[in-house]
Amino acid sequence: MTDTPLHLIRNFAIIAHIDHGKSTLADRLIQATGALSAREMKDQVLDNMEIERERGITIKAQTVRLSYRAKDGNTYVLNLMDTPGHVDFAYEVSRSLAACEGSLLVVDASQGVEAQTLANVYQAIEAGHEIVPVLNKIDLPAAEPERVKQQIEDVIGLSAEDAVMISAKTGLNIEGVLEAIVTRLPPPKGEAEAPLKALLVDSWYDSYLGVVVLVRVADGRLRKGQRIRMMSTGAVHTIEQVGVFTPKMAQVEDLGPGEVGYITAAIKTVADTKVGDTITDDRTPAAEPLPGFKPSVPVVWCGLYPVDADDFEKLRDSLAKLRLNDASFHYEPETSAALGFGFRCGFLGLLHLEIVQERLSREFGLELIATAPSVVYKITKTNGERMDLHNPADMPDMSVVKAIEEPWIKATILVPDEHLGAVLTLCNERRGQQVELTYVGNRAMAVYRLPLNEVVFDFYDRLKSVSRGYASFDYQMDGYAESDLVKISILVNGEPVDALAFMAHRSQAEKRGRAICEKLKELIPRQLFKIPIQAAIGGRIIARETISALAKDVTAKCYGGDITRKRKLLEKQKEGKKRMRQFGKVEIPQSAFIAALKMDA
């Protein structure tokens, strides 16, 4: 199993838009090559997390080694990488592509090319991949293979005349895909005698084995007992186990050039294994590392706080455990007057945030409050000092701020012609700048520059609703630009509530401030005294709502008789209310926080 000649190895990734059938195709390939018996087979066999199976999405890229006897009589080793399709997990895709020479581009024959299809294909082309187009779902009544082929040629510029036509669900023409992999994708290159160079593709924690490291060998060999060195950190380890995924873990003697597999070396924490690092032999190291790939940079930050303050330590441990298997997730401790002790966490996007929150509540049983998501602003002070602002509550006084820059993205939106007007209006409302607008058949492709702050809240949901679900959206970061931004503080009974502070463009500050005040008015229960809710920029109040007091009838026991007695009681009540208001703390229920933070801001 170990000495497979290079020309009989194929390393390939499956790339596609969400829901176009990547994981289903992976299932069929595993089945067709007999890697798992019918009894072991299940849908989405490579999606290990319960949450992936439930939502039907892939979050972590997975790998599997298959053995296929082709029509030419040779037995090939196929290393398959199943990648996520969602924009938040694009870094998982880039890692997988670095370990492969070719890609299967799966396109739904009824829906055609979508925004993520484009993004992932461009990544594959950049990685120098050979690409085989595969049209999936051709058994659907709505399938239009000829139109979609034309679309692939027009939009992507790939020849699609010999695209493989399949139905991953029914297993139609899976043989055709396997033949295309062995005949049309290139074998890997590499020298077994050269010094060891292996790319660290991914790593995760296993409670029995310690850290499991997924590697792609470029040159040399990896074998049990070998002393290896991580080139970026200089850490030295001794390999305890070498193996491949078939999809089950199977130990092998060694891994040679072009092969993909895993190693374990009693590594204690995932932090010691930097994704994209080069592994080399400690005694005869390689001269220079492999190119690797860009580290992931969090774009959305939010505070996570336990509902029960006693759970803080549990939250700390849970975040540390999650970080073991998700290198793109960042966190640091912070405190808030309203919510107590918690953590400021960085994510790759809103879906990533949602997935992490859901994993914390499911796998660790934590009840959490998340503050409003915000992006990282760059602030230049009047003294020339620069700082990154992760949390609006930490905003310095405006008198010392010279300029605030916010992150922008370049968004590609594909939408049917009839919904284009609504989509353009939405982009313009969000301070978007149109870069280009082109047509492909009856679909428009709009490219916009948008401030990330405007996209973070509910842009994706609004886009889906104005286009009746037909628009697809993909984005990449596009640098920082100076903007007229202000911090809006929310005051309840004159006290600022730091967890509700947020940044907005001056032109929209009033609208957003008023919306959150109205929302809080509905959410905060009435007290025995009046409560003002205000939105303020610095010392200037821009919106106000008042929660009226609960009235207790103090004159109920006073029937008939003297009116002055009633007046006296009412005056006394008024005094009491005034005093309560002065010293009364307004307890804002957790549910009000959660609802206010979820608001469609």
Side-chain angles (χ1 to χ4, degrees):
M1 189 173 180
T2 52
D3 276 334
T4 310
L6 275 178
H7 71 278
L8 294 181
I9 298 176
R10 296 290 182 274
N11 297 321
F12 67 98
I14 303 181
I15 53 176
H17 189 72
I18 313 152
D19 268 353
H20 281 204
K22 291 182 297 298
S23 297
T24 314
L25 174 58
D27 288 353
R28 292 296 87 77
L29 293 172
I30 290 168
Q31 228 171 350
T33 54
L36 287 178
S37 65
R39 188 171 57 83
E40 293 168 306
M41 207 52 213
K42 58 186 177 188
D43 283 350
Q44 287 175 265
V45 73
L46 293 181
D47 291 346
N48 312 347
M49 280 192 264
E50 185 188 327
I51 192 165
E52 289 183 307
R53 313 181 62 76
E54 207 169 275
R55 289 180 174 228
I57 57 173
T58 301
I59 295 167
K60 295 289 292 174
Q62 298 292 349
T63 173
V64 59
R65 177 181 178 130
L66 308 171
S67 177
Y68 171 62
R69 190 167 174 78
K71 288 179 179 165
D72 61 10
N74 289 320
T75 299
Y76 289 84
V77 167
L78 311 181
N79 289 310
L80 146 72
M81 297 269 186
D82 179 23
T83 60
H86 198 281
V87 61
D88 283 13
F89 304 112
Y91 76 101
E92 289 276 351
V93 179
S94 68
R95 298 204 305 217
S96 307
L97 297 181
C100 303
E101 286 78 36
S103 294
L104 295 182
L105 168 68
V106 179
V107 182
D108 183 323
S110 57
Q111 291 181 338
V113 174
E114 299 280 7
Q116 234 103 34
T117 320
L118 279 177
N120 290 342
V121 163
Y122 291 148
Q123 269 191 311
I125 292 170
E126 258 174 56
H129 278 205
E130 187 64 45
I131 294 167
V132 174
V134 175
L135 292 193
N136 190 15
K137 310 191 188 182
I138 59 164
D139 55 329
L140 293 182
E144 300 176 68
E146 291 312 312
R147 177 181 69 81
V148 174
K149 275 187 187 179
Q150 192 56 48
Q151 219 180 27
I152 292 174
E153 295 192 357
D154 294 348
V155 182
I156 304 171
L158 275 179
S159 162
E161 56 192 277
D162 46 4
V164 187
M165 310 284 218
I166 65 158
S167 164
K169 196 171 181 183
T170 61
L172 176 72
N173 198 20
I174 294 301
E175 187 79 14
V177 178
L178 289 163
E179 281 300 317
I181 292 166
V182 298
T183 55
R184 290 162 61 180
L185 295 183
K189 296 182 177 71
E191 292 173 34
E193 306 315 313
L196 171 68
K197 263 192 200 178
L199 178 70
L200 200 159
V201 182
D202 199 359
S203 59
W204 59 92
Y205 190 77
D206 180 291
S207 43
Y208 298 106
L209 302 168
V211 176
V212 179
V213 179
L214 181 66
V215 292
R216 153 71 205 264
V217 182
D219 294 319
R221 290 197 170 280
L222 272 175
R223 56 177 69 82
K224 194 174 170 178
Q226 185 177 13
R227 279 176 70 76
I228 51 164
R229 186 192 306 167
M230 307 285 180
M231 286 185 88
S232 76
T233 59
V236 176
H237 301 282
T238 304
I239 297 181
E240 291 184 345
Q241 216 185 84
V242 179
V244 294
F245 292 99
T246 66
K248 299 188 289 266
M249 285 173 125
Q251 292 194 43
V252 295
E253 290 289 310
D254 60 6
L255 288 174
E259 293 194 287
V260 176
Y262 72 86
I263 57 167
T264 65
I267 303 169
K268 301 283 186 298
T269 65
V270 173
D272 300 340
T273 54
K274 286 200 167 59
V275 165
D277 198 352
T278 301
I279 298 173
T280 189
D281 189 87
D282 186 38
R283 282 198 284 280
T284 52
E288 73 246 17
L290 294 162
F293 30 78
K294 297 193 287 274
S296 64
V297 178
V299 292
V300 176
W301 291 77
C302 87
L304 289 181
Y305 294 86
V307 168
D308 179 354
D310 296 344
D311 283 344
F312 176 72
E313 284 304 321
K314 188 178 173 190
L315 174 60
R316 181 197 297 258
D317 296 346
S318 309
L319 290 174
K321 281 180 185 156
L322 270 193
R323 178 94 174 88
L324 288 177
N325 290 347
D326 188 349
S328 58
F329 165 62
H330 295 254
Y331 67 95
E332 57 211 33
E334 73 166 2
T335 55
S336 144
L339 301 170
F341 291 97
F343 290 90
R344 191 92 196 141
C345 304
F347 306 92
L348 297 168
L350 287 184
L351 179 73
H352 188 206
L353 182 156
E354 211 177 299
I355 297 288
V356 167
Q357 262 183 280
E358 203 161 318
R359 286 186 67 189
L360 284 169
S361 76
R362 274 193 189 189
E363 296 170 27
F364 304 101
L366 284 162
E367 268 192 87
L368 297 174
I369 297 175
T371 62
S374 72
V375 297
V376 181
Y377 299 96
K378 291 193 184 300
I379 292 177
T380 309
K381 295 187 180 173
T382 44
N383 63 3
E385 192 188 318
R386 284 174 71 82
M387 66 175 273
D388 283 356
L389 180 73
H390 289 177
N391 186 350
D394 302 335
M395 175 84 179
D397 191 83
M398 284 309 284
S399 59
V400 299
V401 173
K402 184 179 170 191
I404 307 176
E405 293 170 43
E406 63 177 338
W408 284 67
I409 60 168
K410 193 171 176 188
T412 307
I413 300 168
L414 281 159
V415 61
D417 204 12
E418 63 266 31
H419 301 300
L420 179 64
V423 169
L424 296 185
T425 309
L426 173 68
C427 291
N428 292 332
E429 272 173 18
R430 301 295 170 103
R431 302 189 282 131
Q433 302 164 357
Q434 192 172 321
V435 179
E436 61 177 296
L437 183 60
T438 47
Y439 278 87
V440 186
N442 65 338
R443 299 177 72 194
M445 183 168 99
V447 179
Y448 262 83
R449 280 192 82 233
L450 286 155
L452 184 61
N453 183 17
E454 300 286 342
V455 177
V456 153
F457 273 103
D458 62 339
F459 181 81
Y460 196 61
D461 298 343
R462 297 273 302 117
L463 179 68
K464 285 291 184 202
S465 64
V466 299
S467 66
R468 300 213 180 141
Y470 284 110
S472 61
F473 165 72
D474 183 80
Y475 68 82
Q476 63 210 64
M477 299 308 290
D478 196 28
Y480 275 74
E482 200 175 311
S483 285
D484 186 10
L485 297 162
V486 289
K487 171 191 163 188
I488 297 169
S489 314
I490 301 297
L491 298 104
V492 175
N493 201 18
E495 294 279 319
V497 183
D498 56 355
L500 295 177
F502 61 96
M503 302 288 290
H505 192 262
R506 198 180 292 276
S507 62
Q508 290 168 338
E510 209 166 304
K511 184 175 130 202
R512 288 214 174 153
R514 189 168 303 121
I516 203 159
C517 286
E518 284 169 6
K519 185 95 170 183
L520 282 172
K521 185 182 177 181
E522 296 164 24
L523 297 167
I524 297 177
R526 286 164 70 186
Q527 315 273 337
L528 290 167
F529 52 93
K530 271 189 193 168
I531 308 170
I533 300 169
Q534 297 158 312
I537 299 174
R540 187 168 70 86
I541 303 294
I542 54 167
R544 173 183 170 132
E545 293 286 335
T546 306
I547 300 175
S548 53
L550 277 175
K552 181 181 174 195
D553 188 0
V554 287
T555 60
K557 292 194 181 116
C558 219
Y559 39 87
D562 190 356
I563 186 77
T564 54
R565 177 154 163 66
K566 283 189 181 175
R567 268 210 198 115
K568 213 173 189 176
L569 286 166
L570 289 168
E571 284 298 321
K572 199 171 165 193
Q573 182 185 29
K574 211 164 164 189
E575 280 300 311
K577 287 198 172 192
K578 198 168 163 189
R579 200 166 66 249
M580 274 169 75
R581 174 155 170 214
Q582 231 169 333
F583 304 107
K585 275 268 180 252
V586 180
E587 286 295 320
I588 304 177
Q590 301 282 19
S591 57
F593 265 117
I594 296 166
L597 294 171
K598 270 190 179 163
M599 76 168 286
D600 180 326

